[in-house]
Amino acid sequence: MINLDQVSFRYPHSAPIVRNVGLSVKKGQVVAVMGPSGCGKTTLLRIVAGLLQPYEGRVQLLGRTIPYESPAQLRTLRTKMGMLFQFGALFTDMTVYDNVAFPLRETTALNEHEVRERVMQKLTAVGLAEAAEKMPAEISGGMARRVALARAIAQNPQIMLFDEPFTGLDPIAMDTIASFIREQTNALNAASIVVSHDVQETFAISDYIYVMHQSGIIAHGTPSELTHH
């Protein structure tokens, strides 16, 4: 589902931010990328999403190389992805309902009744059905993160990408989101990548983990293998 082969990325005239990274994710797997701030985790996630193009290596999604040269094909590919951005990235001038409905209206042929059913299903799943008509400024940071999570899975994507989903959450909200990521990956038989530095929650839901440091992978294995390393 996701395969990175010796991928490197840097901005012009800078040192590599991602260096010689190999990574793979199968259907139904939650794979974590962990490491300290500034090691290249978020950049790696943006490469997987096709937002950045590596200068070396190959990125394959769903069995094919990312079509960087074709905006139309890239847009079609992205309809099969869901991404939770690090700080939620909700549209501040839209209600919670419209934030979750946005990708469905933009990229699917669902009518408004079908959109409403899907949106309320996802908001109910994250425990926020009653907040549907609120504005992002009227809800807490943890609630906003759950709205962003509902939006990320609104299209029932085959690939799900989560950038620091646990940052700034209280322990109960953290557990809720962690369980939800695991449950949705199983239910959709999707391939999920979680970028995080929260060891406890990430180890609890992940099938395999890559540890980054100074732009490269320094260790990888199952949670059990890394625990005893």
Side-chain angles (χ1 to χ4, degrees):
M1 295 285 278
I2 304 171
N3 187 64
L4 276 64
D5 183 17
Q6 297 300 299
V7 166
S8 297
F9 176 84
R10 68 182 173 203
Y11 291 104
H13 314 299
S14 74
I17 300 173
V18 171
R19 185 179 66 254
N20 299 328
V21 168
L23 177 153
S24 64
V25 189
K26 299 176 183 176
K27 276 188 177 182
Q29 270 194 324
V30 174
V31 168
V33 179
M34 306 191 72
S37 297
C39 70
K41 303 187 303 295
T42 293
T43 299
L44 186 66
L45 206 63
R46 289 173 178 166
I47 290 170
V48 174
L51 299 172
L52 297 174
Q53 183 173 357
Y55 71 88
E56 286 181 351
R58 182 176 62 172
V59 183
Q60 289 184 306
L61 301 180
L62 307 176
R64 57 172 296 188
T65 301
I66 293 182
Y68 299 105
E69 72 290 342
S70 172
Q73 290 182 37
L74 190 55
R75 180 178 171 83
T76 299
L77 179 61
R78 288 211 188 102
T79 64
K80 300 173 183 178
M81 298 182 198
M83 185 164 181
L84 174 65
F85 293 92
Q86 188 167 349
F87 299 108
L90 296 181
F91 297 111
T92 56
D93 60 342
M94 291 184 184
T95 64
V96 164
Y97 177 92
D98 287 329
N99 264 280
V100 180
F102 182 80
L104 298 174
R105 290 168 173 161
E106 286 290 312
T107 65
T108 73
L110 298 177
N111 61 43
E112 199 58 34
H113 175 72
E114 292 168 325
V115 167
R116 180 165 187 82
E117 283 191 339
R118 181 79 65 85
V119 170
M120 296 312 297
Q121 176 192 24
K122 300 306 182 185
L123 285 175
T124 299
V126 297
L128 289 175
E130 295 180 358
E133 298 309 316
K134 291 183 180 293
M135 301 298 287
E138 298 174 320
I139 60 178
S140 70
M143 292 170 72
R145 191 71 59 87
R146 284 188 281 157
V147 173
L149 182 57
R151 183 179 62 183
I153 61 162
Q155 294 169 279
N156 294 331
Q158 295 175 265
I159 291 172
M160 297 192 290
L161 309 174
F162 304 97
D163 192 2
E164 298 287 4
F166 312 125
T167 299
L169 299 181
D170 63 80
I172 293 175
M174 202 180 291
D175 284 346
T176 299
I177 286 184
S179 299
F180 190 72
I181 289 172
R182 180 73 262 181
E183 289 164 4
Q184 288 297 306
T185 301
N186 293 345
L188 299 173
N189 200 23
S192 296
I193 297 180
V194 176
V195 162
S196 179
H197 56 258
D198 188 284
V199 174
Q200 183 175 342
E201 294 294 345
T202 306
F203 272 49
I205 64 169
S206 298
D207 298 298
Y208 203 81
I209 297 168
Y210 293 85
V211 181
M212 287 190 75
H213 182 62
Q214 295 181 348
S215 307
I217 301 293
I218 59 167
H220 58 90
T222 65
S224 177
E225 289 168 344
L226 290 182
T227 298
H228 295 95
H229 195 292

